[in-house]
Amino acid sequence: MGLSAIEIYKLLPKTNCGECGVPTCLAFAMQLANMKVELSACPHVDAAGEEALGAASAPPIKLVTVGDGEGKLELGDETVLFRHEKTFYHAPPLVGVVEDGWDADAIKTRAADVKALVFDRVGREEGMNAVAVWHTSGDMAAAATTAKEASGMPLVLIGSDEGAMKAALGAVGGDKPLIVSAEAGSNAAMVALAKEHGCPVAVGSDGGLEGLVDELKAAKDAGVENIVMLMRGELGDLFNDLVAVRRLAINKSFRELGYPSMTIIEGDDEIETTLEAATLLMKYSSMLVLRNYSPELILPMVTIRLNIYTDPQKPIQVKPAIYKVGDPGPDAPFMLTSNFSLTYFSVEGDVDKSKVPSRILVIDTEGLSVLTAFAAGKMEPDKMADAIEASGIADELNHKKLIIPGMIARASGKLAELTGWEIIVGPRESTGIPKFLREL
Amino acid sequence: MKVEWPTEKIPGSIGSIVLGKTAEDGGTRKVSYTIGGGKSMPFIRAENGTPNRPRIAMEVHSAKPDFKAMAAEELAGVLDDPVAWAKACENDWGADLVCLKFTGANPDGEDCSVDETAALAKEVLGSVGVPLMFYGCGDESKDSQIMSAIGDMIRPEGAVIGVAEADSYKSMAAAAIAFNTHLVSFSNLDINLAKQLNILLLEYDFPAERIIMDPLQGALGYGVEYSFSVIERIRLAALAGDKTIQMPMICDASVGNNYREAYEPSDIWGEANTRSILWEGVTAMSSLTGGADLVIIRCPSSTKYINRMLDRLMGGGD
């Protein structure tokens, strides 16, 4: 966004009619500058203003949608270079691969596996998001149909053969798959098919970023709006190109490269390719096609994606519940802590280290750490007492002893009164837990 | 259409540090390395983001640790023999440095004596040629005694000692000054705390060019989102010209081995050894991508793969 609120205001009708839902034109301009509203909300802006503002208010990196209906994917539309500046918005889809040269059963099995690969990460389901059908030598239309039926996921069609792509689009084009032109030489044909079927298209270039600008312009001129940049190259070059296009789009408002970028990770070594993919995910790849596939490779990928693409302003929270570390019996220690992820992970790790099987009750503190939560009234004795009661923990234990964090020792009297339990004040820092539990 | 590299004005740069001293400089190390010196974000070639290859220090524990999965398997033969462990790091596993952690000296644990610990340090020093790091056990008074006991022996070696923390930095800083070593300044996931500790050290007349910052590495899935951003913010602040935070950074990625995804057998998560390497490896890549100049690694396989990634990112790989 190149224009300030004041510059935008000058282009608005300045009538303060309020029909946009915002009381004044200046307030509307401020919201527009922050990309909180769309210009179309203003019914009275004139054509000249619309043109000037339309160009300026377009996001620096275009939002591209792949697929249709539920489960459709959104790529791009990022506004910062570093996540701490605001947040990264659109987590890169991870795309599994089938080749149309495989037999139908192999395609079906892999597509179903990609769909089934879902992990529970701090209460969220995270997995792969699409299946790529790669044209080698087989029947692309049949393969695409099989992949779609077996996975139910959005598709990515990769190829350079016009006839094969045409046939595949005849079968699944209505689902708005992403068409990936596998070679620069096939860009024009693939763009024409994208236009015909209203699908997004990815194009690359053999001529570096300058060549890429030309290819993107050709696609745009051919009437396709939803364009993705296919970024290729050896890792060091690719890393630098991804940084360059992100910086150009965001810092220099360079529209010619303002599209999401996809990368295809190739190579036989599963560990090396996964580290490569993780590195590119951290630095700006908007979609990753992964040939190597298995749970031990995808779990680290979905985890780093979740870590990088969470909103830094909102702490990751653990679901309030009772968690067991080891295999605690009815006499095992019972303690409570906050639901701020790092607090819980530290406590869990240190309990594990103690080798004393225990139960941990996580209190809903809205993501605040223990001391902050206590100070902010999110970890008050009555709230903790309610959580203990609601958890039904009393039935699981032979004792009524609760360990509380040393940081909230002050709450022990009131908590004992409310619950009738014996309150034991634990260490202030979780690092003290192993020693504490062993000596309990 | 011509595409120009999107140049940015970068007023600051990362300081550089030489790790290890060879005979030429009065030490006994076979190699020495310069780390740091970056003039932009990592691996950005047009702006000389990484003029010196980031280095890998492999950790060695003075007392037998309780490792799991890949770490337990790959290190099985050396876990109770720190000297053999250090030698294997240098000779077999591609470590640039060895980080000897005096975990066995902790009074709450095995409580090995100062003499025993110093004797081990001496043997490791004589057995490997790579530059060395010496990490205390976390007990201030014990660490102070250990550093005094090994001080004369490590003085000529361009070694690194650690860690100095805000509430107990003076004894470690005094040792680093007295024995002419580099010092790791350790802070808890916060750019302001990192800066504050450096300022305390500078006010204590500790030379800026001998500080290496450890902003605390979070493991993949367990705080990487915080450490990644803290590392990036520190690097950006340094490049913006803040002299109190321009020291090279070290990140201890061995923490990646400590969480259950890295070792627990599972029907859902797939094969554990591969997961183990990746958990440490992705943790390390997050800090290298953000701005680390030195990483501490546990598994030989992780070292191999991170070296390979560095080859490729630095441009000499294929």
Side-chain angles (χ1 to χ4, degrees), chain A residues 85-146:
Chain A
E85 295 173 311
K86 193 161 190 189
T87 187
F88 291 168
Y89 292 98
H90 293 105
L94 302 176
V95 184
V97 175
V98 300
E99 289 184 13
D100 64 6
W102 299 355
D103 67 51
D105 279 346
I107 293 172
K108 197 170 162 181
T109 306
R110 173 62 63 87
D113 284 350
V114 166
K115 171 76 176 174
L117 199 60
V118 174
F119 305 101
D120 179 24
R121 307 299 304 167
V122 286
R124 291 172 53 150
E125 295 207 329
E126 290 284 326
M128 300 191 87
N129 314 89
V131 177
V133 180
W134 201 310
H135 177 61
T136 51
S137 54
D139 181 341
M140 198 176 190
T145 305
T146 307

Side-chain angles (χ1 to χ4, degrees), chain A residues 116-119 294-296 299, chain B residues 264-272 275:
Chain A
L117 199 60
V118 174
F119 305 101
S294 44
E296 65 271 19
L299 180 65
Chain B
E264 227 172 63
S266 163
D267 297 335
I268 300 163
W269 292 344
E271 198 268 324
R275 247 192 288 134

Side-chain angles (χ1 to χ4, degrees), chain A residues 83 234 237 251 272 283, chain B residues 8 45 225 229 232 312:
Chain A
R83 60 187 286 283
E234 174 40 38
D237 301 325
N251 290 354
E272 185 173 339
K283 286 295 163 186
Chain B
E8 283 171 8
R45 293 168 180 161
E225 68 275 34
S229 287
E232 285 201 327
R312 295 178 62 190

Side-chain angles (χ1 to χ4, degrees), chain A residues 81-85 88 117-121 209-211 213-214 234-237 239-241 243-245 247-248 251-252 254 256-257 266 269-279 282-284 295-297 299-301 303-304 306-308 310 312 314-316 324-325 340-342 345-346 348-349 352 355 435 438, chain B residues 1-8 10 40-47 66 68 108 188-189 219-226 228-230 232-233 236 258-261 263 267-275 277-287 289-290 301-302 304-306 308-309 311-315 317-318:
Chain A
L81 281 156
F82 302 101
R83 60 187 286 283
H84 65 261
E85 295 173 311
F88 291 168
L117 199 60
V118 174
F119 305 101
D120 179 24
R121 307 299 304 167
L209 295 183
E210 290 172 16
V213 167
D214 295 338
E234 174 40 38
L235 180 60
D237 301 325
F239 185 96
N240 276 269
D241 281 353
V243 171
V245 297
R247 265 205 211 168
L248 282 162
N251 290 354
K252 310 277 177 185
F254 190 78
E256 289 80 354
L257 289 167
E266 303 226 48
D269 189 309
E270 295 189 329
I271 294 172
E272 185 173 339
T273 51
T274 305
L275 288 176
E276 184 177 350
T279 305
M282 288 184 258
K283 286 295 163 186
Y284 312 140
E296 65 271 19
L297 308 178
L299 180 65
M301 287 304 297
T303 308
I304 191 69
L306 190 61
N307 284 166
I308 297 296
T310 49
K314 292 184 195 144
I316 297 187
K324 293 178 180 175
V325 181
F340 174 45
S341 63
L342 286 195
F345 293 149
S346 303
E348 185 200 28
D352 189 45
K355 299 202 166 63
K435 189 163 182 270
R438 282 196 294 262
Chain B
M1 178 171 210
K2 186 106 182 95
V3 179
E4 304 262 343
W5 174 263
T7 321
E8 283 171 8
I10 303 174
S40 179
M41 292 304 278
F43 309 116
I44 295 181
R45 293 168 180 161
E47 292 161 348
D66 179 23
K68 293 159 180 156
D108 288 340
N188 214 325
L189 268 183
L220 175 60
Y222 296 89
V224 131
E225 68 275 34
Y226 295 93
F228 180 72
S229 287
V230 169
E232 285 201 327
R233 288 183 64 194
L236 288 165
N258 295 348
Y259 294 91
R260 61 169 65 124
E261 287 86 343
Y263 59 78
D267 297 335
I268 300 163
W269 292 344
E271 198 268 324
N273 280 349
T274 300
R275 247 192 288 134
I277 300 167
L278 283 169
W279 226 261
E280 184 170 32
V282 173
T283 301
M285 290 317 299
S286 76
S287 58
T289 308
S301 288
S302 313
K304 180 183 92 176
Y305 279 107
I306 293 158
R308 173 82 185 126
M309 294 304 286
D311 288 343
R312 295 178 62 190
L313 284 164
M314 297 293 289
D318 287 337

Side-chain angles (χ1 to χ4, degrees), chain A residues 405-421:
Chain A
M407 295 272 191
I408 58 166
R410 274 179 297 160
S412 58
K414 180 85 178 165
L415 195 53
E417 192 183 304
L418 288 169
T419 57
W421 286 45

